[in-house]
Amino acid sequence: MKYAYYPGCSLHSTGIEYDMSSQLVAGKLGVELKEIPDWNCCGASAGHTTNHLLGLALPARNLAIAEKEGLDVMAPCASCYNRMKTSEVAVKSSEETKAKVAEVTEMEYEGKVGVKSALEVFVKEAGLDAIKSLAVKNLGGMKIAAYYGCLLVRPVGIGFDDPENPMTMDDMVTALGGEAVDWPFKTECCGASLPTAREMVGLKLVYDILTMAQSAGAEAIVTACPLCFMNLDMRQNDLNKKVDNANFQLPVFYFTELMAIAFGEKPAKTGVRKHFVDTSSVLAKYNLK
Amino acid sequence: MQPINLTSALAAGKDFVEKVRKASGVDVKACYQCGKCSAGCPVAFAMDYTPRQVMRLLQLGLTEEALKSHSIWLCAQCETCSARCPRQLEPAKVMEALRIEAKKAGFETEDEIATFNEKFLRSVASNGRVFEAGLVIGFNLATVRPFKDAGVAPSMLVNGKLKLLPHKIKGRDAVRRMFEKAEKMEGEHK
Amino acid sequence: MRRTGVFVCHCGSNIAGTVDVERVAKEAAKFPNVVFATDYKYMCSEPGQQVIKDAIKEHNLDRVVVASCSPRMHEPTFRRCLESAGMNPYLFEMANIREHCSWVHPDKEKGTIKSIDLVRKAAAKVVKDEPLQKSSIGITKRALVIGGGIAGIQVALDIADAGFPVTIVEKEPTIGGRMAQIDKTFPTLDCSACILTPKMVDASQHPNIEILSYSEVEKVEGYVGNFDITIRKKARSVDMSKCTGCGTCWEKCPTKVDSEFDMQLGKRKAIYTPFPQAVPNKPVIDRVNCTKFRTGKCGICQKVCPTGAVDYEQQDELITEKYGAIVVATGFNQFDHSVYGEYGYGKYPDVITGLHFERLINASGPTMGKIKRPSDHKIPETVVFIKCVGSRDEAKGKSYCSRTCCMYTAKHATLVHEKIPGSKSYIFYMDVRTPGKGYEEFYKRTAEEYEAQYIRGRVSKVYQKGDKLVVRGEDSLIGRPVEIEADMVVLANAMVAREDAGDLARTLGISYDKDNFFTEAHPKLRPVETHTAGVFLAGACQGPKDIPDSVAQAGAAASKAIGLLSKTQMESDAIVSNVDESRCSGCMICKGICPYKAIDAKLITERVGGKMAERQVAAVNKSLCQGCGACTVACRAGCLNLLGFTNEQILAEVEAVCL
Ligand SMILES: Cc1cc2nc3c(=O)[nH]c(=O)nc-3n(C[C@H](O)[C@H](O)[C@H](O)COP(=O)(O)OP(=O)(O)OC[C@H]3O[C@@H](n4cnc5c(N)ncnc54)[C@H](O)[C@@H]3O)c2cc1C
Ligand code: SF4
Ligand code: SF4
Ligand code: SF4
Ligand code: SF4
């Protein structure tokens, strides 16, 4: 398996752990990742809510570069994935859009290659059997809430998993010996950039998600998106300061970090030491140091 | 409260509603006002008009109220509304179309969000990628909260999560041209 | 030389508005064999028909063409008109210049030219028309009712009272249908069983009614007046003639199974009657779950049965019977809400449906009439009702409104208030639809006296939080999201067609709509007939309906069936297939093609080279033939012709238009 790799802006900065661990997991699973040369930002939600065409064109430029190399794209970030998917579908379904996008990007993108999320590539395609056979460590029943966020499973009808109760990450957790807790907020929105742009509105969303995970008995949350990760991990401190009675200390992982650790990588190499919320005690509890 | 003159509102709003339909693919007439979108919307609690009400404003031709609503800026584009609408409409796309139009019309009722988006895109336009440190610092300065999020900066620097200088891609000129062209082309479509 | 008269209708401005009718008549007068042509405002009216009759006399016409609307509309009218003028009614053609022309063409000039062409075509055909005779056939004076719910029972009682024998074929072990599962009925809150069971008993004791429970219709042959129906009597494993319904077997049977009748909330035995008042009150063995059938061991019921009625060797039995009319009354199912991920994909035990609720409040139900939630048997204090689940929802369910759920939800909320002191009900609705007698008043009482809180909005999410269910909706009247922590959630699931409705429709040769409900012949004017003569509809199999509507429709369907059975003879149409025996090779390909089994082989004697010889040819039974024409295209020698639509007639039409 070989993919054009689209890390997106976050994986080169705030989401660096996702990048590190994705590379490790890819190596173990024999997935070859070739970074898209000179890729650009997908525009995130700011792009398409400012200019619809721009929102389609920014991801299309990256898809066009990948298409030249004949490779499908793997985009770990849910937002990038959603933007690229939207662009892919728009170009495939309308000649007019395709022409317009080509005019803006000054590149041809025919829709011959598409985009997949890291979850799709590393779990769905690789298969649970392969994951189990590569695992040398067991999550030992760690209670984990799989949090997918909203964009990974949307638009409905196009995504790779159920829009209301996705299971890909839960299955991965179970395959690695963890206990995937059943909880109802798997696809609630974390607010994306709202916690930055409109702090108190955004923080409420994060608060609700963390509270629900906690009351479902989770000892950790696992995510597949750098935006979700940043909101859930970095904002716990803010919440503890700003909200009465809030006292969160809930470790948040990228699913790739847990996979890499189970595959025998040293935790430090996966990036778990870079988190805001301490991960060492929960890892220690399950002998995953 | 003044009664709304619906006769004139409907007539005056017609063209705009058609424009929204073209841009978003959503025919607001099909909305039967069930409220499922608003019930599932994570941000509805902070909105001045719930997503259903935004649809209603358009149904009645109350264009300006829709464009000046805070809702269209607060919308996080999570698509929960679109995923669950029983009429298979996509309120998220309406929110998107309205926000674009509001910006054109100069109604940026949510300064902070508008500023954030603007800084975000400016960063992309000049570097080809987002320079997150620059974005957050620039945003906090612009919204006169220079120290918000400052507490996290040192540890992020140590962890390699914050770069002090932006990464500029080689094709940044191409990206800048994309911005210009897209703006021109979407403008022509008005 | 024929003497044809052409009559062009204005249909008010319907035709005359876009067709120059006078010119059409003038042109028609020039066609070969046409000796008279005129136009008139309404050809179908009394005076219009008089114009035709007068012209027949005055001009000694022997062929008639009317250029007007669709033959579906008025062909019978004009045929009768010819008959009363002493002509054979089949020496007549209609040119449809309304549906085929004026209604679809805005341009008057072009419309007029097309009308002239259509009339030319009809005039060319009519010359080739031959006088035809109708034939008639006797009728089997017996009715079959498929489905023994309230609708089917009512139909059977009405037809039986009129003096005709009726058979009810019911696929479950008992008749009664959904109404038997319901506790109380809106809008009067009278007990469902109290009004249903007497009717069930009446049906079972009526000398004209035969009930075949645990049976299904397997095959339908023949045609209106004379259907040949094959019925599969499924093996009950109990000999009905010996069983007295004493109940010893199901008392002693050790195997417990989730009861379908109780919506899986209670248990029944492997040998069972669905409920105590079942009719017939004789059990069946559920062979899938019976220990004897699964493992070969047990056999207790046979041992304890005092009359030796239990018979493990019993086989399905196929019987074929003749009936004159069929009434379909197979009812409805509840929509399966497991497609609603946002309501938990059907996996939360305390999110139940309306029918579950009916069983929970029923005194003979699994909880003895105490409303207890399924998960922990606690009595719920806060109950949330969500309406239109699967109804009015193209995305996940059906586009239509299910008509009954607004009312039964009001009923349920009333019962919660009555049965659980201190409880509170919330009802999420989009609209409250109460267009029945006494319905609006009932709804108002629910909201005012029984304090159900109505909230206008569709619920977006239900999720489990501890032992509560959190329900998130919008109160769309104030435009704010709202949240309720409920103990139990009751969904008003849509009424949908039975899952086998499509199969049954194909067996019967009747049509069904996109949602698998059977289609009536006309939505306003023929509401209980189907497009297949002799097959009628009653109850919720035709579309969502409550009990009053089902019963009213049942009466209507019964009267239609009685009307049919009261005839001594039935006329069949003269437009039937005809064999040219001189050319028929007797290959009998046509026999297999005919959907009505109207073709058979027969032997004819003819003189060949001076000697008499026998030869096989095809013969059409004119009473059974429905004039579909399938055989005429199948015949390789081309010796089958549909009378009234012979190859010669069709070619004449084609030539008139194309040459
Ligand atoms: C929760 C709930 C509450 C309700 N409460 C009320 C109320 O209070 N008042 C009111 O007026 N209405 C009420 N209704 C509506 C009521 O149930 C229907 O109007 C009524 O049951 C329709 O009767 P039916 O005979 O047409 O169909 P059914 O009751 O469905 O009966 C059909 C019968 O046909 C049989 N059958 C099906 N397929 C076949 C086949 N292929 N071969 C042979 N037999 C077959 C079935 O086994 C069944 O016995 C309620 C409905 C629901 C869901
Ligand atoms: S969910 Fe759809 S139909 Fe319902 S109010 Fe929202 S947009 Fe309208
Ligand atoms: S896309 Fe916007 S309007 Fe729709 S649910 Fe999400 S935040 Fe609310
Ligand atoms: S054989 Fe046994 S299990 Fe089967 S019905 Fe009879 S008693 Fe029940
Ligand atoms: S009857 Fe009422 S609850 Fe049922 S579908 Fe119609 S509106 Fe909805």
Side-chain angles (χ1 to χ4, degrees):
Chain A
M1 267 191 290
K2 187 171 176 183
Y3 283 95
Y5 181 49
Y6 180 74
C9 307
S10 297
L11 270 70
H12 278 188
S13 56
T14 49
I16 194 163
E17 309 92 326
Y18 201 9
D19 186 34
M20 294 162 70
S21 53
S22 288
Q23 304 277 6
L24 292 173
V25 168
K28 291 275 183 186
L29 287 170
V31 176
E32 201 179 321
L33 296 179
K34 183 167 181 301
E35 187 160 328
I36 296 176
D38 207 42
W39 54 266
N40 58 277
C41 169
C42 71
S45 66
H48 72 100
T49 58
T50 303
N51 181 313
H52 185 70
L53 185 54
L54 182 66
L56 296 176
L58 285 170
R61 178 177 174 272
N62 299 318
L63 285 163
I65 301 174
E67 194 168 79
K68 266 194 208 139
E69 316 207 338
L71 291 175
D72 278 330
V73 177
M74 183 188 95
C77 165
S79 180
C80 302
Y81 162 77
N82 179 279
R83 290 331 307 162
M84 285 182 122
K85 195 81 197 169
T86 305
S87 180
E88 175 196 331
V89 171
V91 165
K92 275 185 186 162
S93 55
S94 153
E95 285 297 323
E96 194 196 334
T97 308
K98 183 157 117 187
K100 271 205 217 159
V101 167
E103 195 181 334
V104 177
T105 53
E106 297 170 8
M107 289 177 100
E108 296 299 324
Y109 169 54
E110 299 285 339
K112 283 189 201 124
V113 303
V115 63
K116 287 177 182 162
S117 74
L119 202 53
E120 213 172 345
V121 172
F122 292 155
V123 181
K124 274 249 145 118
E125 285 187 2
L128 294 176
D129 291 337
I131 292 173
K132 277 186 208 157
S133 68
L134 282 170
V136 293
K137 282 189 196 150
N138 188 297
L139 298 183
M142 187 195 301
K143 290 202 180 72
I144 300 171
Y147 174 71
Y148 299 76
C150 50
L151 290 179
L152 204 53
V153 288
R154 305 218 166 97
V156 168
I158 290 170
F160 62 97
D161 204 337
D162 187 285
E164 297 291 347
N165 187 21
M167 286 303 289
T168 313
M169 234 183 324
D170 295 69
D171 292 343
M172 176 224 86
V173 166
T174 316
L176 294 178
E179 182 188 331
V181 302
D182 188 15
W183 70 310
F185 276 22
K186 286 179 180 182
T187 63
E188 287 294 304
C189 170
C190 70
S193 60
L194 275 180
T196 308
R198 260 293 233 123
E199 195 181 15
M200 285 327 280
V201 176
L203 282 184
K204 171 171 185 300
L205 310 191
V206 178
Y207 177 86
D208 287 348
I209 294 166
L210 291 170
T211 311
M212 185 56 76
Q214 238 171 13
S215 69
E219 298 166 281
I221 295 179
V222 57
T223 70
C225 170
L227 264 177
C228 303
F229 178 88
M230 186 170 82
N231 282 334
L232 296 182
D233 180 54
M234 187 173 101
R235 303 292 173 192
Q236 288 188 26
N237 201 12
D238 282 350
L239 283 168
N240 292 345
K241 275 193 234 143
K242 288 175 184 159
V243 180
D244 285 348
N245 300 326
N247 187 16
F248 294 112
Q249 267 302 320
L250 196 58
V252 184
F253 294 99
Y254 288 105
F255 78 100
T256 41
E257 291 174 335
L258 290 182
M259 277 173 91
I261 291 172
F263 291 169
E265 294 291 351
K266 285 215 164 58
K269 273 181 72 189
T270 69
V272 293
R273 298 274 157 77
K274 295 175 185 286
H275 297 191
F276 285 93
V277 178
D278 171 65
T279 54
S280 57
S281 36
V282 72
L283 290 175
K285 180 175 169 196
Y286 293 99
N287 296 318
L288 296 166
K289 287 219 103 169
Chain B
M1 246 188 266
Q2 282 292 318
I4 301 165
N5 182 333
L6 278 187
T7 326
S8 56
L10 274 172
K14 221 171 152 210
D15 291 346
F16 182 78
V17 170
E18 180 54 21
K19 194 186 213 173
V20 171
R21 192 191 61 74
K22 281 220 178 90
S24 65
V26 180
D27 180 1
V28 293
K29 284 197 296 300
C31 165
Y32 60 13
Q33 290 289 301
C34 69
K36 195 170 183 183
C37 49
S38 314
C41 172
V43 204
F45 74 95
M47 289 178 168
D48 48 352
Y49 292 100
T50 63
R52 175 190 58 81
Q53 289 175 320
V54 172
M55 300 290 278
R56 186 68 181 158
L57 290 174
L58 292 181
Q59 285 181 336
L60 298 182
L62 301 173
T63 317
E64 194 170 323
E65 278 88 338
L67 287 174
K68 283 184 175 164
S69 75
H70 291 250
S71 312
I72 60 177
W73 295 95
L74 287 165
C75 164
Q77 284 296 316
C78 71
E79 299 179 28
T80 306
C81 49
S82 303
R84 293 186 188 149
C85 171
R87 311 277 356 241
Q88 290 167 310
L89 305 175
E90 298 191 66
K93 291 222 170 112
V94 173
M95 295 290 195
E96 172 194 88
L98 285 176
R99 198 196 287 191
I100 292 169
E101 290 302 324
K103 199 164 149 48
K104 281 189 201 156
F107 301 141
E108 296 184 349
T109 42
E110 283 280 336
D111 304 341
E112 295 177 351
I113 296 168
T115 308
F116 179 85
N117 284 348
E118 216 172 294
K119 298 243 174 269
F120 185 101
L121 289 182
R122 205 173 293 158
S123 180
V124 179
S126 60
N127 305 317
R129 293 182 192 168
V130 171
F131 172 45
E132 285 185 335
L135 169 64
V136 173
I137 293 166
F139 169 70
N140 287 342
L141 282 176
T143 53
V144 210
R145 295 178 303 177
F147 299 110
K148 180 181 174 285
D149 297 324
V152 297
S155 80
M156 287 178 96
L157 273 173
V158 172
N159 281 324
K161 290 191 173 191
L162 274 189
K163 305 264 162 45
L164 286 177
L165 289 172
H167 178 98
K168 291 181 186 295
I169 70 167
K170 285 191 228 112
R172 58 184 181 277
D173 283 344
V175 171
R176 188 167 324 117
R177 274 201 308 280
M178 282 165 67
F179 272 77
E180 285 157 10
K181 271 196 177 165
E183 195 160 332
K184 213 168 123 241
M185 285 168 69
E186 291 280 80
E188 282 165 8
H189 271 273
K190 263 188 204 172
Chain C
M1 172 73 189
R2 297 287 179 207
R3 299 187 62 79
T4 306
V6 175
F7 302 86
V8 185
C9 182
H10 301 199
C11 195
S13 62
N14 270 306
I15 296 172
T18 30
V19 170
D20 181 346
V21 281
E22 272 175 47
R23 201 174 123 201
V24 176
K26 276 212 190 87
E27 288 296 319
K30 300 178 197 159
F31 297 157
N33 293 306
V34 174
V35 296
F36 175 75
T38 187
D39 59 279
Y40 189 76
K41 212 165 176 63
Y42 291 105
M43 257 3 283
C44 61
S45 65
E46 255 332 301
Q49 296 189 39
Q50 199 52 49
V51 170
I52 300 177
K53 287 180 201 165
D54 293 346
I56 292 175
K57 275 210 191 87
E58 201 171 312
H59 300 277
N60 203 12
L61 302 177
D62 62 4
R63 294 289 185 281
V64 170
V65 170
V66 174
S68 58
C69 50
S70 160
R72 273 192 79 105
M73 195 72 193
H74 277 309
E75 195 175 58
T77 315
F78 295 122
R79 287 225 162 112
R80 274 196 302 273
C81 169
L82 261 66
E83 223 170 352
S84 71
M87 274 179 71
N88 181 289
Y90 292 91
L91 300 171
F92 165 77
E93 293 298 328
M94 247 175 129
N96 182 355
I97 59 168
R98 194 177 73 176
E99 284 86 340
H100 284 181
C101 191
S102 69
W103 277 357
V104 286
H105 296 299
D107 185 311
K108 190 153 186 171
E109 175 60 20
K110 287 182 184 162
T112 305
I113 292 172
K114 181 172 173 185
S115 294
I116 295 169
D117 281 344
L118 290 171
V119 176
R120 181 185 298 115
K121 188 172 69 85
K125 186 185 174 203
V126 81
V127 179
K128 310 272 181 193
D129 283 3
E130 293 293 333
L132 303 177
Q133 304 303 334
K134 290 185 177 177
S135 59
S136 59
I137 184 173
I139 287 179
T140 309
K141 291 172 172 290
R142 255 178 107 194
L144 174 74
V145 176
I146 308 174
I150 181 59
I153 294 172
Q154 189 62 48
V155 171
L157 287 170
D158 288 352
I159 298 178
D161 283 345
F164 299 101
V166 187
T167 304
I168 301 178
V169 170
E170 165 60 57
K171 73 169 176 200
E172 296 298 325
T174 172
I175 57 170
R178 296 283 179 214
M179 193 176 164
Q181 287 176 286
I182 295 172
D183 181 58
K184 299 211 165 44
T185 54
F186 63 74
T188 42
L189 289 187
D190 41 355
C191 138
S192 187
C194 313
I195 55 177
L196 174 69
T197 16
K199 278 197 186 280
M200 291 166 64
V201 174
D202 284 353
S204 73
Q205 291 174 351
H206 203 294
N208 279 339
I209 297 180
E210 170 195 34
I211 298 173
L212 297 180
S213 63
Y214 215 45
S215 300
E216 273 170 67
V217 170
E218 183 105 349
K219 206 160 72 179
V220 175
E221 289 177 330
Y223 199 68
V224 51
N226 292 287
F227 292 103
D228 291 301
I229 315 247
T230 308
I231 298 163
R232 175 181 295 274
K233 293 166 79 177
K234 291 179 279 186
R236 273 186 114 92
S237 315
V238 170
D239 183 338
M240 295 279 276
S241 62
K242 291 186 190 156
C243 174
T244 60
C246 69
T248 317
C249 55
W250 67 79
E251 224 166 75
K252 294 284 189 282
C253 169
T255 311
K256 284 190 180 165
V257 185
D258 282 343
S259 156
E260 299 83 4
F261 184 79
D262 280 335
M263 302 299 291
Q264 273 74 35
L265 294 170
K267 299 278 180 198
R268 61 160 169 83
K269 296 295 180 63
I271 186 164
Y272 72 106
T273 61
F275 55 99
Q277 302 87 350
V279 169
N281 193 23
K282 295 178 182 176
V284 300
I285 293 184
D286 159 11
R287 292 187 169 184
V288 177
N289 290 301
C290 162
T291 313
K292 170 87 180 166
F293 281 94
R294 276 182 34 239
T295 65
K297 298 198 184 76
C298 190
I300 293 177
C301 50
Q302 195 171 48
K303 274 176 224 138
V304 299
C305 176
T307 63
V310 176
D311 175 6
Y312 302 124
E313 309 298 321
Q314 215 180 53
Q315 299 288 318
D316 285 9
E317 191 189 338
L318 289 177
I319 55 169
T320 302
E321 302 269 338
K322 268 202 170 322
Y323 294 95
I326 302 174
V327 182
V328 191
T330 47
F332 71 100
N333 249 343
Q334 263 198 154
F335 176 79
D336 176 6
H337 65 268
S338 65
V339 296
Y340 276 87
E342 58 271 47
Y343 300 164
Y345 284 119
K347 69 176 183 193
Y348 299 132
D350 297 330
V351 177
I352 62 172
T353 73
L355 274 178
H356 288 93
F357 187 85
E358 295 286 349
R359 295 318 297 150
L360 284 183
I361 38 171
N362 191 283
S364 59
T367 53
M368 308 300 204
K370 283 231 154 46
I371 304 173
K372 294 177 181 169
R373 54 186 210 170
S375 63
D376 55 7
H377 303 291
K378 268 200 210 141
I379 293 183
E381 275 168 24
T382 307
V383 182
V384 169
F385 293 91
I386 305 178
K387 297 208 294 190
C388 302
V389 175
S391 300
R392 309 172 69 192
D393 182 350
E394 293 102 326
K396 297 206 165 85
K398 305 290 179 186
S399 55
Y400 56 79
C401 160
S402 290
R403 292 186 69 204
T404 55
C405 11
C406 273
M407 281 301 290
Y408 77 59
T409 299
K411 173 182 78 175
H412 292 170
T414 299
L415 294 171
V416 165
H417 184 85
E418 276 186 350
K419 293 225 175 181
I420 311 172
S423 64
K424 184 78 196 161
S425 289
Y426 298 85
I427 300 175
F428 281 95
Y429 71 100
M430 287 204 289
D431 298 284
V432 181
R433 299 185 166 172
T434 55
K437 205 168 173 179
Y439 287 12
E440 178 70 9
E441 294 82 348
F442 185 89
Y443 151 55
K444 280 207 195 111
R445 273 199 302 281
T446 309
E448 291 163 18
E449 285 168 41
Y450 298 100
E451 291 174 35
Q453 182 59 57
Y454 277 78
I455 303 160
R456 194 200 169 281
R458 219 179 219 290
V459 168
S460 174
K461 187 162 176 140
V462 177
Y463 61 89
Q464 190 94 44
K465 187 177 168 195
D467 77 337
K468 296 274 182 189
L469 289 158
V470 182
V471 181
R472 275 191 186 171
E474 185 199 18
D475 184 324
S476 63
L477 299 179
I478 53 166
R480 297 259 300 266
V482 294
E483 237 178 50
I484 298 168
E485 293 204 348
D487 299 307
M488 190 162 92
V489 175
V490 185
L491 309 178
N493 290 28
M495 285 171 86
V496 298
R498 297 263 174 193
E499 61 279 5
D500 61 352
D503 298 336
L504 183 62
R506 282 186 293 276
T507 307
L508 289 163
I510 60 176
S511 44
Y512 52 99
D513 64 19
K514 68 179 194 330
D515 299 308
N516 278 7
F517 286 116
F518 303 133
T519 328
E520 64 283 3
H522 189 282
K524 280 156 276 179
L525 303 179
R526 299 178 68 202
V528 298
E529 293 96 322
T530 64
H531 281 299
T532 303
V535 183
F536 307 100
L537 303 174
C541 64
Q542 180 259 347
K545 245 175 233 77
D546 58 15
I547 296 165
D549 285 0
S550 299
V551 171
Q553 205 195 12
S559 83
K560 294 284 167 190
I562 294 165
L564 171 63
L565 299 180
S566 314
K567 291 185 183 160
T568 37
Q569 291 269 305
M570 216 174 40
E571 278 203 328
S572 63
D573 204 69
I575 295 179
V576 291
S577 182
N578 187 50
V579 187
D580 178 352
E581 291 177 356
S582 65
R583 294 197 293 136
C584 174
S585 69
C587 72
M588 298 315 293
I589 283 192
C590 49
K591 182 178 167 153
I593 300 279
C594 175
Y596 304 99
K597 313 241 172 327
I599 303 182
D600 238 323
K602 78 167 182 194
L603 290 175
I604 53 168
T605 356
E606 57 184 6
R607 189 178 292 277
V608 186
K611 272 191 225 148
M612 297 301 280
E614 269 199 343
R615 185 164 70 86
Q616 169 176 290
V617 294
V620 176
N621 179 331
K622 301 218 176 318
S623 315
L624 291 180
C625 172
Q626 294 307 309
C628 73
C631 56
T632 64
V633 282
C635 177
R636 282 180 290 195
C639 62
L640 280 164
N641 257 309
L642 199 61
L643 298 178
F645 290 91
T646 61
N647 290 344
E648 209 195 351
Q649 286 172 309
I650 308 271
L651 280 174
E653 286 186 290
V654 175
E655 276 173 13
V657 186
C658 301
L659 294 183

